Amino acid sequence: MKILRISRSYPPNFDGTAFHVYELSKCQAVKGSVFLYQPHKENIHQSNSFNIYSPPFCDVFIKHNKIYKSKVIILIFHFFVMIDVILKRKKLKFDIIHCHNDIFDVFWWIPFSWWTKVPLILTVHAGLNQSKLYTMIARRIFANVDRIICVSKKIEDELVNLGIHKSKIFVISSGIDLEGIKLVIDEFSHQPAKGKKVVTVGRLDPMKNFGCLIDAFKQLDLHDISLTIIGDGMEREILQQQAKDDPRIIFTGAMSREEIYRHLARSDLFVMSSIKLGGQEEGTPTAMMEALGAGLPIITTNSGGIAELLKEYPLKWIVPQNDSKKLAEAMVEFFHLPDFEKDQLKKISRQIAQKKDWSIIAEKVGEVYKDVLFPSH
């Protein structure tokens, strides 16, 4: 099968959607061909079956991260991609068009799909904006997409509430590279760590709410403990200022997946403090699933699809959003648990992660393609 994929999120950008797009494309290229358009010049990981393109003027799209903030820039990016695809139409012969993110990422591809008679798929990676204007526009755009993949049941519910027929919606979470995680964990987990280590990973932006986590961590009256915050983003200076009087809090900046796995291997606990903000919230966060794959116990807020992802977890480890006191209490309780209870949490983490390997996720996405290409009668 030949897939045309378009995503404004792609490495070296640091977010879950970027790694989702890369890992899914890499898996699908083993059995078929992927033509991927993204906004960066770096055409890394290219092969005969995995071809990566960028549209003209890509420097303009990624300048100041406008490709992730400005709806106008998003529309312009996709327009230039569509023009380039039309010019390369004879070279790029594809069976499926697969876009990622939201309604602004699929807008131009609806008429293109009609014109080429190629089915159009959209993966929605986060909760929908709840404004009246967005709802009015989204209802019409989603209705003209052939199939919609959403990464959590909560997003499916939001789509159904918009009036989208459930038969065209498929819930398929992001995935993780279990083998890659295991290789690093096996190598580094036996290295002795100094003290207790809490780790978190994500973009430093308001939805991740790291300020709440820093407040919670400062409340911990525990000896020999550290908090490592892995990631970069618009709030880095603000967060570093907030944490400057506590030397236990460490900011690493953005890291490669292997470097992240090394930190996970030497950590005791993964914490996520995300909130619902402006209608946007977590889907099934890649960083959390990688922590599960590393066998780490989890403490988290109940943002978006997280509770669904952790439905096998004891409820006390899923705390209310934006409540630093509850978050601090949960961390204190965890570090006072007997070892056998911590080991039970690690076991649950690994069991959840086993279902999220990219080979399994890619097969599920392939079933959606078959559903739209060969509908049952």
Side-chain angles (χ1 to χ4, degrees), residues 236-263:
R236 181 165 182 172
E237 289 186 14
I238 296 171
L239 295 171
Q240 286 180 321
Q241 184 68 21
Q242 180 184 352
K244 70 176 183 178
D245 59 343
D246 194 332
R248 303 175 300 167
I249 302 174
I250 302 159
F251 291 83
T252 69
M255 289 186 154
S256 69
R257 306 322 289 169
E258 185 172 334
E259 289 172 319
I260 291 172
Y261 300 160
R262 290 174 184 174
H263 275 277

Side-chain angles (χ1 to χ4, degrees), residues 81-183:
V81 171
M82 188 177 66
I83 295 300
D84 201 61
V85 170
I86 290 172
L87 294 175
K88 292 185 172 76
R89 186 75 178 91
K90 291 184 179 179
K91 178 182 177 181
L92 303 179
K93 296 179 180 178
F94 41 84
D95 307 299
I96 288 285
I97 305 165
H98 192 158
C99 296
H100 292 258
N101 279 301
D102 205 348
I103 57 172
F104 300 99
D105 298 273
V106 80
F107 179 80
W108 296 112
W109 298 100
I110 292 171
F112 183 84
S113 172
W114 293 342
W115 173 53
T116 58
K117 295 182 173 58
V118 177
L120 176 61
I121 313 291
L122 172 66
T123 294
V124 182
H125 291 265
L128 306 182
N129 190 306
Q130 299 299 312
S131 72
K132 289 184 179 179
L133 179 60
Y134 176 92
T135 299
M136 182 178 66
I137 298 171
R139 182 178 291 113
R140 289 163 174 77
I141 293 178
F142 284 135
N144 286 288
V145 177
D146 291 295
R147 298 291 185 275
I148 302 171
I149 297 172
C150 46
V151 297
S152 74
K153 179 69 168 60
K154 189 164 186 180
I155 300 174
E156 179 190 40
D157 293 340
E158 292 175 352
L159 289 166
V160 171
N161 288 337
L162 276 179
I164 309 305
H165 201 280
K166 203 167 183 176
S167 63
K168 69 190 295 183
I169 306 171
F170 294 79
V171 180
I172 304 173
S173 75
S174 291
I176 52 175
D177 178 12
L178 269 178
E179 184 178 351
I181 293 171
K182 187 177 185 302
L183 286 172

Side-chain angles (χ1 to χ4, degrees), residues 351-371:
Q351 288 173 343
I352 295 171
Q354 287 298 322
K355 306 169 189 174
K356 302 299 181 182
D357 187 73
W358 268 118
S359 61
I360 297 171
I361 301 301
E363 286 292 333
K364 291 181 178 180
V365 174
E367 290 301 314
V368 178
Y369 295 168
K370 291 176 185 176
D371 182 76

